Every structure is written in structure tokens, then in C-alpha cells.
Amino acid sequence: MRNTRKPWLTLVAGIAGTALLTACGGGGAGTSGEDGKTTLTIATFNEFGYEELLKEYEASHPDIKIEHRKAATTNEARDNMNTRIAAGGSGLADIEAIEVDWLPELMQYPDNFADLSDPEVEGRWLDWKAEQATTEDGKLIGYGTDIGPQGICYRADLFEAAGLPTDRAEVAEFLGDSWESYFAAGEKFTAASDAAWYDSAGAIYQGMINQVEAAYEKPDGTPIPLDQNAEAEKVYETVLNASVDRGLSAGLTQWSEDWTNAFQNDGFATMLCPGWMLGVIEGNAAGVQGWDIADTFPGGGGNWGGSFLTVPAAGKNVEAAQDLAAWLTAPEQQLKAFEAQGTFPSQVEALASDELLSQKDAFFNDAPTGQILANRADAVEVTPFKGPNYFAIHETVADAITRVDTDKTDDAAGSWAKAVQAYGELGLD
Amino acid sequence: MADVTTRRDSPEAVAAEKPGRAPSPAPAPPDRARELRSLLARADVKLSPYLYIAPFFVLFALVGLFPLAYTAYVSVHDWHLIGGQGEMVGLQNYADVVQQPKFLTALRNTFSIFLLSAVPQLLAALVIAAVLDANLRAKTFWRMGVLLPYVVAPVAVSLIFSKLFADQSGMVNTLLGFVGVDPVRWHADALASHVAIATMVNFRWTGYNTLILLAAMQAIPRDLYEAAIIDGANRVRTFFSVTVPMLRPTMIFVIITMTIGGLQIFDEPRLYDQQGDGGADRQWLTMTMYLYELGWGAQKSFGRASAVAWILFLLIVAIGLVNFAITRRIASDGSSSGGKRR
């Protein structure tokens, strides 16, 4: 038997070895195929709504082949990107999508990205959107895709069962325009229903912290020590008080298995809803009737997320990649992406177009999502400052919230102390 | 029960069949060339063995020794993921790392997951190997069957198991509910998360170890069993008094490879949830994940990550030495067979 065992082991070793090689070698970006076609890779996360657009581009550019890599979460995309930048840019896609929360840390090393400034695209975006991706010496490292003006998505059927209003306008009034009125409405709902009011304390915290002008860092970029950051601590306490003490949260972590499944079994009735979340809800809640979106947001409008397309300077097809990125972020294409996945345009021309304003979403009970999100974008008053350490500091607080809200292993005060400890470990001061 | 075919493959038989290794000396050379030839022949005998093994050592120096030394070099510097090399800071990185509470958490988790996976795995592998060693029908089928989970990519295993072990909506909790057990909080609770991760490891590695133990079992001379049976020992008794003692050298090998692999566990815990950072309280953060978090996470410090890499290396070497000492004491013949793991 000893001899007959070996071929199998060799085979297994061979398979494992090949798998390893493919895993390492899979990142070969920007290679020209044997058929003379240029292969462009584009790396995105969540839902950008690009599937159809990429096919369209391939059809109109016969010499281009596009490979689309999708990461499930932004954290994953960020890890992947940082690793590859650290490796000198090898294995990066020709176009890398990045999220506004971790844009600032990459802005510190602009040499890694091609300068995308071009007279043709000047004035294409909202001023503040373009500014976010412009370095001090005027280099534009990313083309804006979407912004994330938020409304409140809700389950009209659960509202009805709880004896609450279901009509969009009435719900907007019922929810009110402050966080307190939103939480109070939640108490009325949970008193009459088994479902929770919202999905996750972490999401509510996101919504609230994005209304703070300088959440974790002073506008000159110096981090505010977390134990002295009274403003963030107050938001933290408010969120956990509503989520745990008042019992409004379903105790789920966004993007977790349980969170995804909760869409299918009536886990919660409302959630904060930036434009790009519409596509996520539609995917997770496939087959569920009753989702709708209310034209209101607590605390006076809020923007959550929004992304950019960058072209890493190490790519082999920088020019072709820039063309594709410029095409994808043109107003006409962004409108199509919005239609597909609700990614709300950051382009001036698209924002004013009838096509956007007349947009309706069948899944959300034919809600005029275009008009609602445009109203929500108008309501945004604060453009929060996010410096190079925003993402890292935010993660320490987000973990603290998860410990209390999802894991229930710590109380609010104890978990905050752990966040302060984790902040100290970042070594920023 | 005795498998006749294995006889032919006993080590003695194989050795006897092998042709002589030394190259045959050159035929009688004429005059002047003679001296050169004899020189070459001597060089051939003296040098070529080293040449034959050189590729391994050259490769090892390239992909083993150099990274090891370079990691040590990085670990005494301030070294940013993207920013690159900074000042030399001596052992500061080691001090920083050891002082972070996450270090102890990671150490605890790593050993907890290691024990939860190694012990049941070894016992299960031993029992399954004993069953496979019996005279079954369709032997090859069963033997290949236990190896199947090993062929599945660890990433796929993790994805499936993390669905099964979801806190609220997972299948494991649903099944537990049928027998009246309260849902286990597989992610929130530290020990429960270790059990879940150990389950993935066991699923993947039990079959592999089974085959190694099976191979060793087949090398046990069958007359030992016959003698035991004639002396009136039953199956259970022969298992504990003949099989297990004869397996000791192989078991030591299996345990050492398990230790090396177990202390470096990464894929399974990394993919146990969507975030991949070991849980909000780092309930299932292992040493290698901690290393990754230091280097690529919020701190972006290659210096600290390298420090952890070296601490982990020393830890494994220390445990390896303990294992070696035990091997020396237990097994007089010492040698064992089997491939490398992970």
C-alpha cells in the first residue's frame, strides 16, 4: 500500500501547488492577449452597477477586453489594494475603485496613481466631490462615481401590521427629522411588532458620525485622541442607548451572514439608505414585498460613502484605463449605473437631468428614487472632514459598537475603554 | 486480515531491489588521461552528492533563509506598509507588540484553536485508520474518501462553515434547536468560535492524518498481531498493545506537523466572518492574523508585523525542540515516514 499511496499524495500536492500558483499569479493585470486584444481589469466592491456598462464598452471597443473583479466589502477591497501598493503595484487592477473613507490615506502617496486631470472632465462633478480626490498640487487621482445621500428605507408591510402609516409622505412625517423622533417612532413600532426597528447600531452610528464636521481629526489632519473626543463619544452613547437600552436594533453587523439572511425573515423594519444601498437591499431581499423609501433623514441630511475610480500608475495600460474610467464616470453612464443599482450620481449634469429625476424603482413600490435622493442630496449640510487616519480610528469605534450591539459581550462603557486602548495602539499621537 | 500485497513493499524488499547508487568506475583509461579521470572520478564521488542536494539548499536559502533574515532586519526598524523603511528602533517593535493586549488574546486563541483541533483530530484519525486497516470491501474507495475534504480549498470550506455557524440563522443552531439546545453564539462567544474554527480544520485535515497513520499501520509486521491473537488478545487489546505503541514514531511526526500548521492557522479564522479581523473583540484573532492586522490593518507597521513573525517563529522552534526531546526519549529508531503538511 505504501507505493500506491504515493501517486495520490503527489497528485494532491500537485493540485495544491497549482492552486497556490494560480492564486499568486492570478493578479496579472493589463496583459495583451494572444488575439491582440488589450485586457483591462477593473476592481470594485459591493454593487457599482457596471455589469451592463462594461459589456457595452466592450461592444463599442472591439480591441478591449474587460475583466471585472468584485470584492464583497470595502474593507476587503482596501486590504487588497494596500497590499498590492506595498508590493510596488504588482497585481493591481488597471482601474481600482476606492471609497471616500479610505481615499485620504491613499492621498498621502499620490505617486502611486496616474494623474487623471484632463480639461475634458473639468467641472464634471460636484465641486466638493472633485476636491476630495485632488491633491494640494492639483493632481486629480480619482474620477468620482457616486455619492451616498441617504433616505430611510422601510418595510411598508411591517408598518401596516403594526398599525402605523404606510404611505411614503406620511411615513416621512411619522419618522420626523431628528434622531430622537426617529428613535421615538421606533419605540412605537417595536411595541406593536416582533421585528426590530433598524438593522444595526453600527449603521446608525455611520449615519450620525457622517453629520459631524470633524469626527476624529481636526481639519488640519491631527487626530483627536479618542479619550478626549467628547463629540464622538456622545454619538456613540446615543446610538447604543437607542440600540440596546431602548431595544431598537436587531443586533446585526452589516454584511454579516445573519444580516443578509435577516432581509428574508423580517428581521427589521427600517434602515438608513444611501443610494448605493438600494441595490444591496434589492439583492438581499429578493422576493420580499413591501420595501419602500421615505424622503426624510434624521438630523438634517447625510451622505454615506461614495466612490472614485483610480488608475494605479504601475499599470501597463494607463491610457486605455483612463479612457475607460472617464467613460464610466461620464454622466450618461452613471445614470445607467444608477438605474441598475441605485448608485447616485456625483456628476453635475446627471444631477439635473430629467432622466434622473423621473427615475422610479419598481422594487421599492415604484418610489421616485431619483427625486427622493436628489432631495436628500440637497439636504446635506455638512461635508465631514476625513483625514488620513479616519478609517483606522473609525474602525476602533465600529468594533466597540459591534461588541455591545451584536456580540453583547461588553457594556457601552467597557467597550469604549477598549476602543480607547485600540486607538492608543494605532500610535498616532 | 493480513494484507499479503504489502509484504512485497516492505522496506527491506524495496532496498534489495534498488540498483547500486554509486556510478560504476570508468573502464581502464589509456596513459595520460588516466590521472585526470581518476581525479574526476574522485570529485564525482566526493562532490556530486553535494551538488545533487544543492538545489534544495539554494532554494531554501532563497525562499527560507533570506526572508527569515530580512524579516529580522525589518523587525528592528520603523517600517510603514506604503511609506517603507524608517529609522532603526532596536527592539522597540517587540516591546510594543508584547504590550498590546491583542498579543495575549492572539496567543490564547491560537493555542485554544490548536488544542481543539489537534487532539480530536489525532484521536479521530487513529480510529478511522484502524477501521480502514481492517479487511474492507472497496478499500481504495474508502481510503480516497477520507482524503476528499483535503482536496477542497480551505477558502471554500471556510465559506460554507461560516454559513453553517451563523449566530442567528445558521444550520448548526437550527439543528441544535431540534434537540432542545439553546442557540450557541458561534461568533460572539470566544470559545464557541474556536470550536467552530477547529471544526473546519478537523474537517480538512483528519483524512490526511488518517492516511499517514494508515500507512504506518500497514508497516506493522502482521506476525505481531498473530502472536497477540494466539495469546488470546481481542481486537481492542491488540489495538492498544500492538498498534498504538508501534505507531509512536509516526504519531510524533504527525503531532509536530500539526503543531507547525496549527500555530500558523490563518485561512479559516480569517474567513470566518465578512470583516476578517477576528471579531469585534478579536475573539478568534490568531497569531498570523494579528501579524496581518499589524502589517496591513490600521497600524500598517511592517516593523511590528515582522516582530510578531519572529516571536511566532521562536515559539514554534521552542515547541519543536520539546517535541524533538520527547521523540528522542520515546522512539529509539526515531525515523518515520510521511510528507510535509501545509
Side-chain angles (χ1 to χ4, degrees):
Chain A
M1 276 302 130
R2 298 193 107 183
N3 277 351
T4 49
R5 180 175 62 94
K6 278 182 182 161
W8 286 109
L9 277 185
T10 322
L11 182 68
V12 169
I15 293 170
T18 319
L20 199 72
L21 284 178
T22 356
C24 297
T31 40
S32 289
E34 285 164 16
D35 46 2
K37 279 189 180 184
T38 308
T39 305
L40 292 178
T41 43
I42 171 166
T44 66
F45 44 84
N46 297 342
E47 298 291 350
F48 270 65
Y50 281 170
E51 279 75 7
E52 292 304 315
L53 289 173
L54 295 179
K55 275 183 211 154
E56 194 183 321
Y57 193 78
E58 279 182 329
S60 62
H61 296 72
D63 54 333
I64 302 270
K65 206 170 150 275
I66 302 172
E67 198 184 297
H68 189 187
R69 298 186 210 146
K70 270 166 93 171
T73 64
T74 59
N75 293 39
E76 205 178 300
R78 172 178 170 270
D79 281 356
N80 181 42
M81 191 163 176
N82 276 335
T83 308
R84 287 166 193 243
I85 289 179
S90 78
L92 280 170
D94 291 305
I95 297 178
E96 288 273 352
I98 58 180
E99 225 241 322
V100 60
D101 281 7
W102 36 283
L103 173 69
E105 58 185 12
L106 295 174
M107 294 280 287
Q108 297 179 101
Y109 311 101
D111 292 347
N112 290 306
F113 300 96
D115 183 5
L116 302 179
S117 50
D118 183 342
E120 255 181 59
V121 297
E122 222 158 273
R124 183 186 268 186
W125 297 275
L126 294 169
D127 286 344
W128 57 267
K129 179 81 177 171
E131 268 164 34
Q132 285 176 335
T134 310
T135 60
E136 273 169 26
D137 50 0
K139 189 173 164 184
L140 182 70
I141 70 161
Y143 285 158
T145 59
D146 59 328
I147 52 176
Q150 306 177 84
I152 302 274
C153 289
Y154 67 99
R155 288 277 300 271
D157 53 332
L158 295 182
F159 271 49
E160 191 173 10
L164 300 175
T166 58
D167 177 72
R168 233 166 269 136
E170 286 171 40
V171 169
E173 199 148 309
F174 170 65
L175 297 177
D177 55 8
S178 73
W179 288 102
E180 187 41 47
S181 67
Y182 174 66
F183 295 146
E187 285 184 315
K188 277 184 207 144
F189 172 82
T190 47
S193 172
D194 290 337
W197 180 237
Y198 50 76
D199 54 341
S200 159
I204 302 295
Y205 180 77
Q206 266 282 7
M208 291 177 81
I209 206 75
N210 273 324
Q211 291 174 337
V212 176
E213 215 151 315
Y216 307 116
E217 295 150 295
K218 293 182 195 134
D220 63 1
T222 32
I224 306 169
L226 200 59
D227 54 349
Q228 294 161 31
N229 192 339
E231 201 164 13
E233 190 174 0
K234 187 161 164 280
V235 174
Y236 170 84
E237 278 164 2
T238 311
V239 168
L240 287 180
N241 175 270
S243 301
V244 180
D245 304 336
R246 293 162 82 175
L248 298 179
S249 163
L252 302 162
T253 307
Q254 287 202 323
W255 317 110
S256 74
E257 199 60 39
D258 283 333
W259 180 76
T260 311
N261 290 334
F263 282 93
Q264 292 291 339
N265 38 26
D266 302 345
F268 49 87
T270 67
M271 64 185 291
L272 304 189
C273 220
W276 48 265
M277 191 64 95
L278 299 177
V280 177
I281 295 178
E282 197 173 330
N284 287 340
V288 175
Q289 302 280 322
W291 277 102
D292 206 327
I293 174 168
D295 186 0
T296 185
F297 194 74
N303 181 72
W304 178 3
S307 302
F308 295 85
L309 296 184
T310 64
V311 176
K316 283 183 192 140
N317 303 301
V318 172
E319 260 173 53
Q322 184 174 352
D323 288 346
L324 174 59
W327 183 82
L328 280 171
T329 54
E332 308 82 57
Q333 274 68 249
Q334 189 63 47
L335 282 170
K336 287 183 193 162
F338 174 68
E339 201 175 323
Q341 294 290 351
T343 48
F344 193 76
S346 60
Q347 294 84 347
V348 180
E349 208 178 296
L351 285 171
S353 77
D354 283 341
E355 221 179 320
L356 177 80
L357 298 177
S358 63
Q359 184 86 46
K360 285 187 160 63
D361 195 319
F363 183 81
F364 289 87
N365 192 20
D366 278 325
T369 46
Q371 183 64 54
I372 290 178
L373 291 173
N375 293 346
R376 293 293 94 220
D378 284 344
V380 177
E381 290 155 0
V382 177
T383 311
F385 172 76
K386 296 181 179 180
N389 295 303
Y390 181 89
F391 194 87
I393 304 174
H394 181 75
E395 285 298 292
T396 64
V397 184
D399 277 342
I401 289 177
T402 305
R403 281 193 288 269
V404 183
D405 181 49
T406 307
D407 294 350
K408 300 180 177 64
T409 49
D410 291 83
D411 60 8
S415 194
W416 179 259
K418 285 186 185 175
V420 169
Q421 163 74 29
Y423 173 86
E425 287 169 11
L426 296 178
L428 300 177
D429 307 323
Chain B
M1 177 181 127
D3 192 342
V4 185
T5 55
T6 58
R7 294 271 170 171
R8 195 196 56 205
D9 299 328
S10 68
E12 296 83 352
V14 171
E17 278 163 26
K18 271 192 186 151
R21 255 189 228 135
S24 44
D31 46 345
R32 268 180 294 166
R34 186 174 193 154
E35 212 163 297
L36 183 67
R37 290 222 180 164
S38 82
L39 200 70
L40 276 177
R42 254 188 307 156
D44 187 31
V45 172
K46 292 236 157 124
L47 282 182
S48 47
Y50 297 101
L51 231 74
Y52 293 146
I53 54 166
F56 169 79
F57 286 97
V58 169
L59 264 181
F60 174 74
L62 223 62
V63 301
L65 216 54
F66 170 71
L68 205 64
Y70 194 64
T71 305
Y73 176 72
V74 173
S75 75
V76 293
H77 286 83
D78 244 343
W79 201 297
H80 189 267
L81 169 69
I82 300 174
Q85 185 174 4
E87 284 168 35
M88 170 133 179
V89 293
L91 294 179
Q92 187 59 41
N93 285 323
Y94 291 85
D96 285 349
V97 161
V98 176
Q99 276 163 18
Q100 294 187 4
K102 277 181 202 162
F103 176 77
L104 283 182
T105 313
L107 204 63
R108 177 201 72 183
N109 294 346
T110 307
F111 276 98
S112 166
I113 293 174
F114 165 59
L115 288 177
L116 282 170
S117 57
V119 176
Q121 206 183 116
L122 194 64
L123 294 178
L126 201 58
V127 171
I128 298 172
V131 172
L132 289 179
D133 194 29
N135 206 5
L136 296 171
R137 273 171 210 276
K139 254 182 244 159
T140 315
F141 173 77
W142 297 115
R143 285 169 190 181
M144 278 320 297
V146 296
L147 197 60
L148 266 186
Y150 180 68
V151 182
V152 183
V155 175
V157 174
S158 309
L159 285 178
I160 293 167
F161 275 76
S162 63
K163 276 185 198 299
L164 295 180
F165 283 111
D167 283 27
Q168 295 182 15
S169 53
M171 199 170 90
V172 175
N173 274 344
T174 314
L175 292 178
L176 286 178
F178 286 141
V179 291
V181 179
D182 284 338
V184 177
R185 302 191 315 139
W186 292 112
H187 285 77
D189 185 63
L191 187 64
S193 69
H194 298 173
V195 171
I197 292 166
T199 309
M200 297 182 213
V201 179
N202 291 341
F203 170 77
R204 203 168 131 67
W205 289 101
T206 305
Y208 177 87
N209 288 317
T210 301
L211 287 197
I212 292 183
L213 290 176
L214 176 64
M217 276 183 196
Q218 307 221 315
I220 299 174
R222 298 287 144 167
D223 30 0
L224 284 181
Y225 289 104
E226 281 159 24
I229 289 166
I230 290 168
D231 284 348
N234 60 16
R235 281 298 197 90
V236 179
R237 184 71 203 273
T238 51
F239 179 74
F240 283 107
S241 300
V242 178
T243 314
V244 173
M246 294 296 284
L247 282 182
R248 241 184 242 156
T250 311
M251 297 257 267
I252 299 286
F253 165 78
V254 168
I255 290 169
I256 290 180
T257 49
M258 265 182 183
T259 314
I260 296 172
L263 294 183
Q264 298 182 19
I265 183 168
F266 182 77
D267 298 19
E268 288 88 352
R270 166 91 174 146
L271 287 155
Y272 187 50
D273 76 348
Q274 286 285 341
Q275 263 73 34
D277 46 18
D281 204 21
R282 304 296 181 261
Q283 303 97 301
W284 64 90
L285 178 86
T286 62
M287 286 296 269
T288 44
M289 285 175 78
Y290 179 50
L291 187 161
Y292 184 77
E293 183 182 322
L294 286 171
W296 287 265
Q299 304 188 22
K300 290 212 190 111
S301 167
F302 269 11
R304 290 179 187 171
S306 304
V308 171
W310 258 88
I311 293 174
L312 186 61
F313 171 67
L314 294 177
L315 210 68
I316 293 175
V317 168
I319 293 176
L321 285 178
V322 171
N323 276 333
F324 182 66
I326 300 173
T327 323
R328 285 272 292 261
R329 187 174 292 181
I330 293 179
S332 48
D333 58 341
S335 64
S336 64
S337 62
K340 260 196 186 147
R341 206 188 135 183
R342 284 182 215 198

